[in-house]
Amino acid sequence: MVIPRVLIVAGSDSGGGAGIQADIKTVTMLGGHAMTAITAITAQNTLGVQAVHSVPADMVVAQMRSVIADIGVDAVKIGMIGSAAVAHAVADVLDALAVPVVFDPVMVATSGSVLADAETIAAFARLMRGATIVTPNLPELDVLGGEHAVRAHGAALLVKGGHADGDVVRDRLVAADGAQTVWTHPRIVTRHSHGTGCTLASGIATGLAGGMALAAACDRAIAFVAAALGKAPGLGGGHGPMGHALGRTPYYDLSAATDPDGGDAAAVAAKWS
């Protein structure tokens, strides 16, 4: 079996809604194999980030090189980077790795907690130069200097519209050659939207790892985010996680599908409940 191999370079979210945890769930649900290089450990829940412990740059690099040397990598997703030193160390590794790179320039958590200082944000320039696509939300795009400044680095740009006003969300992909693709969809009103950016970027990376064209990878990832938002389980008292499993127990569905007697998911669930 050939399975898309996605290396995720990002921070850990102890609450499971965003970061490495959301990335792994997304890559798995979309048919890929997720590998990780953790850049930071956060004490985090739906109410906010209570503590952050950065992982030293040499350890981040060691994680990356370990999986690259043995398992191999078809695409890389970069999320929370932790520090300027880590940004440059990651860029050094990626310079020798000829695979698609999706860079989600994480600066602020959904709860409003700051996850990148000014020095780290300045170092994002080097990561953008090596990226296939950069996926900022509107506030992040402003901090990075706007659309022209991001595109000057040579990567494609997905301008995410979730932070704009209105009942319709507009996401716009600007390819490296300037060609544009626009998605519009009704806004899903929910406070359980923690991890949307992580999920979207990892979804795109999984598509690229599997050989999908950029616009197609974005299309599928956007659809997955919308589906996961609609199936959020309602956990926590603040910005809760999305429903990456889409309200299902995938094991039950798979067991039913392989049952020689033609079982169904409800019957499998009843057996184990």
Side-chain angles (χ1 to χ4, degrees):
M1 183 195 309
V2 177
I3 185 170
R5 302 161 297 178
V6 182
L7 172 56
I8 303 151
V9 183
S12 169
D13 172 4
S14 59
I20 288 287
Q21 287 80 354
D23 297 324
I24 292 172
K25 287 182 277 191
T26 300
V27 172
T28 302
M29 287 297 293
L30 294 180
H33 173 68
M35 302 166 289
T36 63
I38 298 176
T39 61
I41 302 168
T42 70
Q44 184 175 170
N45 54 29
T46 68
L47 302 175
V49 180
Q50 292 80 44
V52 178
H53 177 71
S54 295
V55 175
D58 59 350
M59 184 59 191
V60 176
V61 168
Q63 295 173 80
M64 296 178 70
R65 294 199 186 282
S66 178
V67 297
I68 291 169
D70 175 38
I71 300 170
V73 175
D74 297 308
V76 176
K77 182 261 179 166
I78 304 172
M80 179 184 177
I81 208 65
S83 69
V86 170
H88 289 295
V90 168
D92 286 340
V93 177
L94 296 182
D95 283 346
L97 194 65
V99 299
V101 176
V102 179
F103 178 37
D104 182 26
V106 176
M107 302 177 194
V108 179
T110 303
S111 62
S113 301
V114 176
L115 299 176
D117 59 20
E119 184 181 9
T120 303
I121 293 171
F124 284 175
R126 189 171 173 203
L127 293 171
M128 287 191 285
R129 287 196 295 272
T132 304
I133 181 171
V134 183
T135 62
N137 59 35
L138 293 176
E140 290 164 347
L141 184 60
D142 287 341
V143 173
L144 293 173
E147 183 174 329
H148 178 75
V150 173
R151 291 193 58 223
H153 294 290
L157 169 66
L158 180 64
V159 182
K160 300 181 296 191
H163 283 71
D165 296 328
D167 295 331
V168 175
V169 175
R170 182 174 183 266
D171 300 314
R172 181 166 54 91
L173 171 65
V174 186
D177 63 2
Q180 298 195 30
T181 306
V182 177
W183 292 267
T184 57
H185 42 92
R187 183 179 299 279
I188 299 172
V189 180
T190 175
R191 64 180 173 86
H192 300 288
S193 59
H194 189 43
T196 48
C198 305
T199 298
L200 179 62
S202 285
I204 295 170
T206 308
L208 295 178
M212 295 176 72
L214 181 58
C218 291
D219 184 78
R220 185 178 70 167
I222 290 169
F224 180 69
V225 170
L229 279 170
K231 293 295 185 177
L235 301 176
H239 297 284
M242 298 184 295
H244 288 89
L246 308 182
R248 308 289 295 182
T249 303
Y251 172 70
Y252 296 162
D253 293 311
L254 293 172
S255 295
T258 58
D259 188 337
D261 296 323
D264 58 51
V268 177
K271 176 181 178 180
W272 294 106
S273 60

